[in-house]
Amino acid sequence: TIPLKDGMITADDIFEGCANLKHVDLVEGPVHATIAALQLDEWRNDINEEIGSINQILPTVSAGSDDDDDDGGKAQAIRTWIRSVIRKIIHYQAEHQRLLDEEVATTLRLVLPRDI
């Protein structure tokens, strides 16, 4: 279980030799609350699919070996995944805010007298 924080995994060899690293879960907390607050199921489903994608990727990525200079690709895969999830969350938060702003503007147009 890891937090969703960019820059947390810096060394390429941090998971070298960790062949059993095949599954990652996100820490429960603000990320899940943010996802749950998004207006559209499609957005929530897209982010949740992205979150789950790492568990399809990790079993196929080399763990590297202590015997040679192969660091493996697990650290890079996790870094790329974290950035992808963060980008999607930021994108959908912006879309969510845009829809809210449009809704407020429409409501104001309907409620306020036209001669103001």
Side-chain angles (χ1 to χ4, degrees):
T1 302
I2 64 170
L4 190 65
K5 181 179 179 185
D6 194 18
M8 185 179 70
I9 298 171
T10 56
D12 287 340
D13 65 349
I14 192 138
F15 301 117
E16 184 178 327
C18 296
N20 289 332
L21 177 58
K22 298 176 183 177
H23 186 90
V24 171
D25 290 318
L26 286 181
V27 172
E28 292 291 326
V31 170
H32 295 286
T34 298
I35 294 166
L38 294 174
Q39 283 182 321
L40 300 179
D41 286 338
E42 178 183 335
W43 297 349
R44 289 189 297 270
N45 292 342
D46 188 34
I47 293 174
N48 285 324
E49 283 178 25
E50 188 68 27
I51 289 171
S53 71
I54 191 64
N55 297 321
Q56 302 300 314
I57 296 167
L58 279 178
T60 67
V61 175
S62 168
S65 172
D66 292 332
D67 298 337
D68 55 28
D69 289 335
D70 181 12
D71 293 335
K74 294 196 185 269
Q76 180 62 39
I78 293 172
R79 278 195 303 267
T80 301
W81 167 74
I82 287 172
R83 290 178 184 138
S84 178
V85 172
I86 289 171
R87 273 193 307 274
K88 281 189 184 256
I89 290 171
I90 290 168
H91 169 75
Y92 287 129
Q93 281 179 315
E95 287 297 304
H96 179 87
Q97 188 61 50
R98 185 185 61 76
L99 286 177
L100 289 176
D101 292 347
E102 286 177 6
E103 189 175 306
V104 167
T106 300
T107 302
L108 286 173
R109 278 193 301 272
L110 294 172
V111 172
L112 292 175
R114 298 200 185 267
D115 60 350
I116 294 181

PDB file of all heavy atoms in Angstrom, residues 7-19:
ATOM      1  N   GLY A   7       7.188  11.735  -7.022  1.00  0.00           N
ATOM      2  CA  GLY A   7       8.511  11.986  -6.481  1.00  0.00           C
ATOM      3  C   GLY A   7       8.875  11.112  -5.287  1.00  0.00           C
ATOM      4  O   GLY A   7       9.960  11.230  -4.733  1.00  0.00           O
ATOM      5  N   MET A   8       7.974  10.247  -4.884  1.00  0.00           N
ATOM      6  CA  MET A   8       8.224   9.405  -3.718  1.00  0.00           C
ATOM      7  C   MET A   8       9.230   8.285  -4.036  1.00  0.00           C
ATOM      8  O   MET A   8      10.057   7.933  -3.209  1.00  0.00           O
ATOM      9  CB  MET A   8       6.905   8.795  -3.241  1.00  0.00           C
ATOM     10  CG  MET A   8       7.040   7.998  -1.971  1.00  0.00           C
ATOM     11  SD  MET A   8       5.462   7.339  -1.449  1.00  0.00           S
ATOM     12  CE  MET A   8       5.170   6.120  -2.692  1.00  0.00           C
ATOM     13  N   ILE A   9       9.158   7.754  -5.244  1.00  0.00           N
ATOM     14  CA  ILE A   9      10.060   6.683  -5.664  1.00  0.00           C
ATOM     15  C   ILE A   9      11.072   7.308  -6.628  1.00  0.00           C
ATOM     16  O   ILE A   9      10.745   7.631  -7.760  1.00  0.00           O
ATOM     17  CB  ILE A   9       9.275   5.541  -6.330  1.00  0.00           C
ATOM     18  CG1 ILE A   9       8.294   4.943  -5.322  1.00  0.00           C
ATOM     19  CG2 ILE A   9      10.219   4.495  -6.886  1.00  0.00           C
ATOM     20  CD1 ILE A   9       7.316   3.972  -5.908  1.00  0.00           C
ATOM     21  N   THR A  10      12.288   7.478  -6.153  1.00  0.00           N
ATOM     22  CA  THR A  10      13.284   8.186  -6.953  1.00  0.00           C
ATOM     23  C   THR A  10      14.338   7.272  -7.558  1.00  0.00           C
ATOM     24  O   THR A  10      14.821   7.533  -8.653  1.00  0.00           O
ATOM     25  CB  THR A  10      13.977   9.272  -6.110  1.00  0.00           C
ATOM     26  OG1 THR A  10      14.548   8.667  -4.955  1.00  0.00           O
ATOM     27  CG2 THR A  10      12.984  10.343  -5.697  1.00  0.00           C
ATOM     28  N   ALA A  11      14.725   6.228  -6.877  1.00  0.00           N
ATOM     29  CA  ALA A  11      15.796   5.347  -7.358  1.00  0.00           C
ATOM     30  C   ALA A  11      15.226   4.263  -8.266  1.00  0.00           C
ATOM     31  O   ALA A  11      14.233   3.613  -7.934  1.00  0.00           O
ATOM     32  CB  ALA A  11      16.521   4.707  -6.182  1.00  0.00           C
ATOM     33  N   ASP A  12      15.861   4.071  -9.423  1.00  0.00           N
ATOM     34  CA  ASP A  12      15.401   3.042 -10.353  1.00  0.00           C
ATOM     35  C   ASP A  12      15.576   1.638  -9.804  1.00  0.00           C
ATOM     36  O   ASP A  12      14.863   0.723 -10.188  1.00  0.00           O
ATOM     37  CB  ASP A  12      16.149   3.155 -11.686  1.00  0.00           C
ATOM     38  CG  ASP A  12      15.696   4.350 -12.502  1.00  0.00           C
ATOM     39  OD1 ASP A  12      14.594   4.870 -12.249  1.00  0.00           O
ATOM     40  OD2 ASP A  12      16.458   4.764 -13.400  1.00  0.00           O
ATOM     41  N   ASP A  13      16.524   1.467  -8.906  1.00  0.00           N
ATOM     42  CA  ASP A  13      16.821   0.122  -8.408  1.00  0.00           C
ATOM     43  C   ASP A  13      16.130  -0.202  -7.081  1.00  0.00           C
ATOM     44  O   ASP A  13      16.414  -1.224  -6.472  1.00  0.00           O
ATOM     45  CB  ASP A  13      18.325  -0.068  -8.270  1.00  0.00           C
ATOM     46  CG  ASP A  13      18.943   0.849  -7.223  1.00  0.00           C
ATOM     47  OD1 ASP A  13      18.254   1.781  -6.741  1.00  0.00           O
ATOM     48  OD2 ASP A  13      20.123   0.642  -6.892  1.00  0.00           O
ATOM     49  N   ILE A  14      15.197   0.624  -6.664  1.00  0.00           N
ATOM     50  CA  ILE A  14      14.579   0.424  -5.347  1.00  0.00           C
ATOM     51  C   ILE A  14      13.841  -0.921  -5.236  1.00  0.00           C
ATOM     52  O   ILE A  14      13.775  -1.506  -4.167  1.00  0.00           O
ATOM     53  CB  ILE A  14      13.657   1.602  -4.971  1.00  0.00           C
ATOM     54  CG1 ILE A  14      13.273   1.501  -3.509  1.00  0.00           C
ATOM     55  CG2 ILE A  14      12.414   1.648  -5.819  1.00  0.00           C
ATOM     56  CD1 ILE A  14      13.299   2.799  -2.792  1.00  0.00           C
ATOM     57  N   PHE A  15      13.309  -1.407  -6.361  1.00  0.00           N
ATOM     58  CA  PHE A  15      12.602  -2.687  -6.355  1.00  0.00           C
ATOM     59  C   PHE A  15      13.386  -3.773  -7.079  1.00  0.00           C
ATOM     60  O   PHE A  15      12.836  -4.802  -7.447  1.00  0.00           O
ATOM     61  CB  PHE A  15      11.210  -2.533  -6.976  1.00  0.00           C
ATOM     62  CG  PHE A  15      10.349  -1.537  -6.255  1.00  0.00           C
ATOM     63  CD1 PHE A  15       9.903  -0.400  -6.897  1.00  0.00           C
ATOM     64  CD2 PHE A  15       9.992  -1.726  -4.929  1.00  0.00           C
ATOM     65  CE1 PHE A  15       9.106   0.530  -6.249  1.00  0.00           C
ATOM     66  CE2 PHE A  15       9.200  -0.800  -4.263  1.00  0.00           C
ATOM     67  CZ  PHE A  15       8.750   0.320  -4.919  1.00  0.00           C
ATOM     68  N   GLU A  16      14.700  -3.553  -7.254  1.00  0.00           N
ATOM     69  CA  GLU A  16      15.538  -4.534  -7.931  1.00  0.00           C
ATOM     70  C   GLU A  16      15.485  -5.865  -7.191  1.00  0.00           C
ATOM     71  O   GLU A  16      15.668  -5.917  -5.967  1.00  0.00           O
ATOM     72  CB  GLU A  16      16.980  -4.033  -7.984  1.00  0.00           C
ATOM     73  CG  GLU A  16      17.910  -4.935  -8.758  1.00  0.00           C
ATOM     74  CD  GLU A  16      19.317  -4.372  -8.811  1.00  0.00           C
ATOM     75  OE1 GLU A  16      19.478  -3.134  -8.843  1.00  0.00           O
ATOM     76  OE2 GLU A  16      20.247  -5.184  -8.819  1.00  0.00           O
ATOM     77  N   GLY A  17      15.206  -6.908  -7.921  1.00  0.00           N
ATOM     78  CA  GLY A  17      15.146  -8.238  -7.330  1.00  0.00           C
ATOM     79  C   GLY A  17      13.817  -8.560  -6.659  1.00  0.00           C
ATOM     80  O   GLY A  17      13.639  -9.651  -6.121  1.00  0.00           O
ATOM     81  N   CYS A  18      12.872  -7.646  -6.683  1.00  0.00           N
ATOM     82  CA  CYS A  18      11.562  -7.854  -6.034  1.00  0.00           C
ATOM     83  C   CYS A  18      10.579  -8.479  -7.020  1.00  0.00           C
ATOM     84  O   CYS A  18       9.596  -7.856  -7.430  1.00  0.00           O
ATOM     85  CB  CYS A  18      11.005  -6.547  -5.489  1.00  0.00           C
ATOM     86  SG  CYS A  18      12.000  -5.819  -4.193  1.00  0.00           S
ATOM     87  N   ALA A  19      10.836  -9.708  -7.390  1.00  0.00           N
ATOM     88  CA  ALA A  19       9.989 -10.396  -8.368  1.00  0.00           C
ATOM     89  C   ALA A  19       8.567 -10.577  -7.855  1.00  0.00           C
ATOM     90  O   ALA A  19       7.628 -10.695  -8.640  1.00  0.00           O
ATOM     91  CB  ALA A  19      10.600 -11.743  -8.731  1.00  0.00           C
TER      92      ALA A  19
END
